[in-house]
């Protein structure tokens, strides 16, 4: 189980952020990975267009994340960053 102050949760966020930063997928360059809650990763994006694009590719992205970080997620929770609207 993940609790808000769980060091395992912090490690997951760190690994995912590192992967997003180093991966050449242009989608990752335009996103900010947020916390992992349970088996769900929150991702912040700037535009509705990007949100829709990521939602369409969610299964592929989940597989890529697991393959490259060994973190198994069931879902992406894509949210538009209110500062950018």
């Amino acid at each position: 189980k993940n609790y808000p102050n769980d060091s395992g949760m912090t490690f997951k966020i760190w690994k995912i952020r590192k992967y997003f930063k180093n991966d050449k997928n242009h989608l990752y360059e335009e996103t900010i990975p947020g916390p992992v809650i349970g088996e769900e990763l929150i991702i912040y994006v700037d535009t509705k267009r990007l949100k829709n694009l990521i939602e369409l590719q969610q299964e592929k992205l989940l597989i890529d994340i697991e393959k490259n970080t060994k973190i198994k997620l069931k879902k992406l929770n894509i949210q538009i960053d209110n500062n950018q609207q």
Side-chain angles (χ1 to χ4, degrees), residues 32-85:
I32 300 169
V36 175
I37 300 171
E39 295 179 314
E40 177 177 283
L41 170 65
I42 296 174
I43 296 181
Y44 299 101
V45 297
D46 293 346
T47 65
K48 183 145 180 60
R49 178 198 65 80
L50 185 56
K51 180 179 192 258
N52 293 338
L53 199 60
I54 291 172
E55 285 173 346
L56 287 171
Q57 296 187 35
Q58 177 166 276
E59 288 305 314
K60 180 189 179 309
L61 297 175
L62 288 170
I63 291 166
D64 286 349
I65 291 167
E66 182 178 357
K67 190 167 66 176
N68 290 283
T69 66
K70 307 293 185 245
I71 297 169
K72 184 158 181 57
L73 300 166
K74 286 199 169 152
K75 183 175 182 212
L76 300 178
N77 179 344
I78 301 124
Q79 300 182 7
I80 297 175
D81 186 344
N82 290 332
N83 297 333
Q84 302 295 329
Q85 287 184 340

Side-chain angles (χ1 to χ4, degrees), residues 1-13 16 35-41 71-74:
K1 290 184 179 176
N2 286 329
Y3 298 98
N5 295 324
D6 182 25
S7 61
M9 189 168 115
T10 304
F11 180 69
K12 285 181 182 178
I13 295 166
I16 291 169
V36 175
I37 300 171
E39 295 179 314
E40 177 177 283
L41 170 65
I71 297 169
K72 184 158 181 57
L73 300 166
K74 286 199 169 152

